[in-house]
Amino acid sequence: MGRISGKSPIGVGFLSEMAEEIILPKQEELYADPELREMIDAGVFFGRKKSRTHPRMRPYILGNRNGIELINLVKTREDMDKALALIKEKVLSGGTVLFVGTQPPAEEVKNVAVEFSFPVVVNRWLGGTLTNSKIILGRLDYYKKLKNDLESGAFKDKYTKKELLEIEREAKRLGELFGGLEGYSGRLDVMVVVDANLHHTAVREANKMNIPVVAFINTDTDPDDVKYGVVGNNKAKTSINWFLGKIRTAIKEAMAARQAAPPIEAVKAPETV
């Protein structure tokens, strides 16, 4: 679906009609609220088909238009605020955020992760990344060394052209598996996922390891699967970029606050007599 504006018959006008029942502010308030207007323009309110909606998602549904569920943006904003508060808390204390988004519309996820030197998965989730981290980290170290040796020319005088070609192919294969995880040390404080259904293995591993998950989920997801789920249109690039843009801003603010904070002086233990 294309970009939705406030003038669209399925945009602000329709949402304001539904607002009379309970959930959203009236039309003039929708226009006046810049956050809601931003979400509408990004198409965040588009859910999935009614037949695909998870039963536990009913409280997040505002209405239905042409067979498509329309998401309650007020609840989305509330959940987004909770997720951002968590991310700020973790980043402020020096925590690491892992980003996961392998679908083409989520390509911005790589830019956000790289901007803050956080690990990211953009090709496919490697099973055991969190639950079997010892082996994964060993393979990751091997990939990083192989990559560095190729770039430095360390193999140039040791192998034939044919052997070097095989090594390059191996490095490329490993790069598809581990590329983006170079900064992963085995410690994670929060995981950000675009589409929990698509990346269900990653979410399951994070839950098993008690790592909080912030996920952009749609109406076809069980909200109980993700503690910090943000309901919205996770299929459209504009909507995904809205989600990632909020997270980028939260991380920037947390990092700026951390840098501005005065250093903590070590407390000297009292001398014993």
Side-chain angles (χ1 to χ4, degrees):
M1 296 184 180
R3 178 179 172 83
I4 302 301
S5 68
K7 296 180 180 180
S8 169
I10 197 172
V12 174
F14 177 70
L15 291 176
S16 61
E17 292 174 14
M18 300 298 297
E20 295 179 0
E21 299 185 11
I22 41 169
I23 308 174
L24 283 176
K26 295 183 185 286
Q27 183 169 357
E28 61 271 14
E29 294 175 357
L30 276 169
Y31 278 104
D33 191 319
E35 289 187 356
L36 287 178
R37 183 57 187 270
E38 179 186 17
M39 295 165 74
I40 293 169
D41 287 343
V44 177
F45 63 91
F46 280 118
R48 306 304 299 276
K49 291 182 179 180
K50 186 175 182 179
S51 60
R52 301 187 63 178
T53 295
H54 195 281
R56 293 194 182 96
M57 272 290 176
R58 299 318 311 174
Y60 297 87
I61 305 301
L62 178 64
N64 185 285
R65 188 76 157 192
N66 299 327
I68 301 298
E69 302 281 38
L70 299 178
I71 296 166
N72 177 357
L73 296 183
V74 170
K75 288 186 69 66
T76 297
R77 179 168 61 178
E78 291 173 353
D79 290 339
M80 186 83 250
D81 289 343
K82 293 176 183 177
L84 295 178
L86 170 75
I87 291 173
K88 284 183 177 180
E89 175 190 338
K90 298 297 184 181
V91 174
L92 188 60
S93 61
T96 299
V97 181
L98 170 63
F99 287 85
V100 182
T102 61
Q103 63 275 49
E107 60 184 358
E108 182 64 14
V109 75
K110 182 177 181 180
N111 295 330
V112 176
V114 170
E115 181 177 346
F116 303 109
S117 300
F118 284 142
V120 60
V121 175
V122 294
N123 290 321
R124 73 179 181 87
W125 181 263
L126 191 60
T129 297
L130 303 182
T131 55
N132 197 13
S133 60
K134 184 176 181 180
I135 291 179
I136 295 297
L137 288 171
R139 295 297 293 168
L140 179 59
D141 287 341
Y142 171 72
Y143 163 65
K144 290 192 290 187
K145 185 178 186 307
L146 188 66
K147 181 181 176 182
N148 290 334
D149 287 345
L150 280 171
E151 292 175 349
S152 66
F155 294 144
K156 188 175 181 181
D157 299 326
K158 294 182 179 180
Y159 299 96
T160 65
K161 289 184 178 180
K162 184 177 180 180
E163 290 172 332
L164 279 175
L165 185 60
E166 289 298 321
I167 294 174
E168 289 172 356
R169 287 173 179 169
E170 173 68 0
K172 182 179 179 181
R173 184 186 71 83
L174 292 174
E176 292 175 353
L177 295 174
F178 298 107
L181 289 175
E182 289 87 347
Y184 175 52
S185 63
R187 176 205 167 189
L188 286 180
D189 296 276
V190 60
M191 185 165 73
V192 174
V193 180
V194 179
D195 195 336
N197 283 359
L198 180 63
H199 304 101
H200 58 90
T201 303
V203 173
R204 185 169 61 247
E205 288 191 25
N207 288 338
K208 186 175 181 179
M209 302 301 292
N210 294 318
I211 298 171
V213 177
V214 172
F216 197 32
I217 60 178
N218 212 316
T219 56
D220 56 350
T221 303
D222 183 350
D224 292 345
D225 288 346
V226 182
K227 186 174 182 179
Y228 295 91
V230 178
V231 184
N233 180 7
N234 61 7
K235 300 299 180 182
K237 184 176 181 179
T238 53
S239 183
I240 292 172
N241 286 351
W242 167 83
F243 172 74
L244 294 174
K246 295 294 182 183
I247 291 175
R248 171 188 269 123
T249 300
I251 294 175
K252 280 184 178 179
E253 292 175 353
M255 286 188 167
R258 190 174 70 196
Q259 291 176 356
I264 300 175
E265 296 183 2
V267 178
K268 186 178 179 181
E271 296 180 1
T272 58
V273 179

